[in-house]
Amino acid sequence: MDSQKSIIEGAIDFHIHSSPDVIPRRLDDFEVAKFAASAHMKAVVLKNHYGSTAARAVLVHKIVPQIEVFGGIVLNHSAGGINPQAVEAMHRIGGKYGKVVWLPTVDSEHHLKVFHKSGIGIKVAENGKLLPETAAVLKIVARDNLVLETGHISSAEVMAVIRQARLLNIKNILITHAMADVPGLSLENMQTAAQMGAFLELAFVNDLMGENAADDGHKNWHHVSINQMVAAIKLIGAEHFVLSTDLGRKPDPLPAEGYKLFVEKLMDEGISQPEIDLMMKQNPARLLGI
């Protein structure tokens, strides 16, 4: 690590997958935090599709106090689906480090449909109207000032969630890898979401996906190029975006290394340092309240 002057100094990575996990990961929670700290990053968010990372974040923080580590819960089947009690427990256990609530990811109906998987998918809305349990989760997010992430739900569901979140005065909304197959937002959707106050996540892993992906699990996703991401930033404005890596799989770069590469590639395509700082530092810090 070039610890003297790191290109990602002060950065926040909102999306890292670490072990223990169902899928083999390159690094465990402690290693993620140590690498991020040595790159002089400000914070990381640990994500797991099958288990809450709130308690893990609390423990990591004790061992690696040089960096802020946040966790949360993904409302997949293993959490009981759209389960308000699971959200309550996550935040009570994690305290200020139990901060993020992701709507369903790999178990969402939309995800199963897009990737041709069998099983009963989880919906958060029907005919543009949120299901009662989704509304109950949103109320907890609003009350406790948590971060609401949209996960892998459909674009129609994303828009319904944002509309309701605004009515509840939820301040912190992040659309999970907005340009990926799931949710699969159009640029028009992204513009509308940004106008309604949601932040849009750009994840470096989407540039590593597609038929040439190093990881077999990523070959069935579409490649989202750096050029496409840059065009979206130019169209919508850097003030609406949050950078993350969504890294963690074995063949992929280490998260902190991937983040550096991401920033370098964006700057090579004409994204300015002030724009990078907005997306890498200020916007994610605003969401996390740090």
Side-chain angles (χ1 to χ4, degrees), residues 116-149:
H116 310 294
K117 292 182 182 293
S118 58
I120 296 172
I122 305 169
K123 284 191 283 200
V124 302
E126 267 183 310
N127 307 320
K129 193 167 163 30
L130 293 195
L131 297 172
E133 56 269 33
T134 312
V137 164
L138 262 54
K139 283 185 179 136
I140 298 167
V141 170
R143 184 194 72 203
D144 294 336
N145 198 30
L146 303 177
V147 179
L148 179 67
E149 284 225 37

Side-chain angles (χ1 to χ4, degrees), residues 75-89:
L75 298 178
N76 283 326
H77 285 309
S78 52
I82 312 292
N83 182 356
Q85 286 84 358
V87 174
E88 292 261 15

